[in-house]
Amino acid sequence: MKVAVVGSSHGGYEAVRGVLQQFPDAQIDWYEKGDFISFLSCGMELYLQGVVKDVNSVSYATIPEMEDKGVHVHINSEVTNIDPAGHKLTVVDVQNGESQTTSYDKLILSVGAVPFQLPVPGKDLQNIYAMRGRDWAIKLRAAEVKPDIKNVTVVGSGYIGIEAAESFAKAGKHVTIVDTNPTILGTYLDTEFTEILAEELKAKNVDLRLSQSVKEYIGNADDQVTAVVSTTGETWDADLVIETAGIRPATKWLAGIVDLDDHGMIKTDEYQQTSQPDIFAVGDATEIEFAPTGKKQLIALASNARRQGRSAAANLTGHNRKTTAVSGSSALHVFDYKFASTGVKDVTADKLGVTVDSVFVTDTKVPPFVPAEYNAEVFFKLTYDPKTRVVMGAQIMSKLDTTANINAISLAIQQHLTVDDLAYADFFFQPGFDRPWNIMNVAAQKAEQKLD
Ligand code: FAD
């Protein structure tokens, strides 16, 4: 069997691994239009903050490692067309423009997404950057150490924008974050958390300009960006802009080949099968089932791309594995605070078309007699359906790492557990690690009281 995989990021990498495991005799051709395989944008922050020194180490696999496993790796190779009936691909060598046609029996697409570029005057000025992939990682790292870059504007306060803002603030730059939402991290956390994080950012020399967007970028005679004009009419200095205002699927070339939705997302079933037989798709160019609602939506996470990649590989010769519904679980830090969230938040409920109720609790991570240097306040919010009592989401934050609790809530959502299941669930106690009642128990018990 000849299997072609297009795209070498999270989804493509996992698909190749899955095919190697499930079909050891398959011929695997792995196509990547860039000159590097399997760069992890997730690791970019660690590189920008100097924790990881070598940009090339921020990857899952090298070409020699994959070739040793028998994979034919084709870098600088853009797949530009597919003939589904003839099982043929057109591959263009991006260095010399030459194209060739090759065959496949099964095809897995993990073409991902590209950063959204704001369509505003001045958008083509120098020093307007994105944050995705190895090339941008190298450029951003170089910008961090340039003394003439003093003022940095980050457009968008999702997790990528926050990673950019923190990295440049730690590099000694004055950072301004602009966001159309009234709060930072608007799809990840409710205001109980974002208010604390907003104060933390301000204390670290990061200005927040919320409920506004960019109207225009101003440049100098050398076409370098020098200022940002806001939709509020205000203007501020900027030597560098990092746009992290969303992504768009890299699927224009697939129109008419596989079915796409109105946003250009590749339509797949729960086995990652596209509208064409023998063509599968995974990752940020596809939607995934959101467990709290059972509806499909874009949740652009590497964790999802990898799950889908594994499913696609398993389903090449039949319906063997459905992709599990997910809850958009993610974790991040904002300077000293570490947080994680999953499922529905108050702030996202309306848009998702669900009615939820929630309880917010604070506690210490370990019993109060444990000295402050080993202890910290924990903030936790549990969200549930007030009619069915089913758990719909949760958020946690502390200066100590309590984020793993969110994995338990993600499983609770997937299994449709109720607040009653969680209220007295068996969680460990040891004073060095936790309290006799884990904060998930505490919140679920409070939810029971509120509901009864
Ligand atoms: P992409 O990563 O978009 O990669 C697609 C690949 O396909 C690219 O290499 C591209 O060059 C190639 N390609 C596209 N079209 C073609 C073609 N026609 N021919 C050949 N090659 C092609 N997720 C998490 O779960 N946790 C995190 O901590 C996290 N942190 C992140 C931090 C940052 C800064 C960013 C940008 C993202 C982060 N993500 C994180 C999200 C995660 O990186 C994405 O969800 C994931 O990369 C999606 O993988 P993918 O395979 O769908 O596509």
Side-chain angles (χ1 to χ4, degrees), residues 258-270:
V258 291
D259 286 353
L260 306 177
D261 73 10
D262 294 345
H263 304 287
M265 306 294 291
I266 305 171
K267 291 188 184 176
T268 68
D269 66 12
E270 58 216 325

Side-chain angles (χ1 to χ4, degrees), residues 6-13 31-34 36 38-45 77-80 110-114 131-133 159-160 163 250 253 282-285 299-305 329-331:
V6 184
S8 76
S9 180
H10 292 274
Y13 171 74
Y31 297 98
E32 167 55 53
K33 70 178 176 187
F36 191 85
S38 137
F39 182 77
L40 274 92
S41 290
C42 315
M44 202 190 285
E45 187 191 22
S77 299
E78 181 171 4
V79 177
T80 56
S110 188
V111 295
V114 289
M131 183 160 163
R132 191 178 179 98
Y159 66 80
I160 299 171
E163 286 185 349
W253 65 283
V282 305
D284 283 4
I299 308 174
L301 285 172
S303 46
N304 300 341
S329 312
S330 57

Side-chain angles (χ1 to χ4, degrees), residues 32-35 75-80 91-99:
E32 167 55 53
K33 70 178 176 187
D35 59 1
I75 55 166
N76 298 310
S77 299
E78 181 171 4
V79 177
T80 56
V91 184
V92 173
D93 180 327
V94 298
Q95 288 180 317
N96 61 24
E98 281 173 18
S99 88

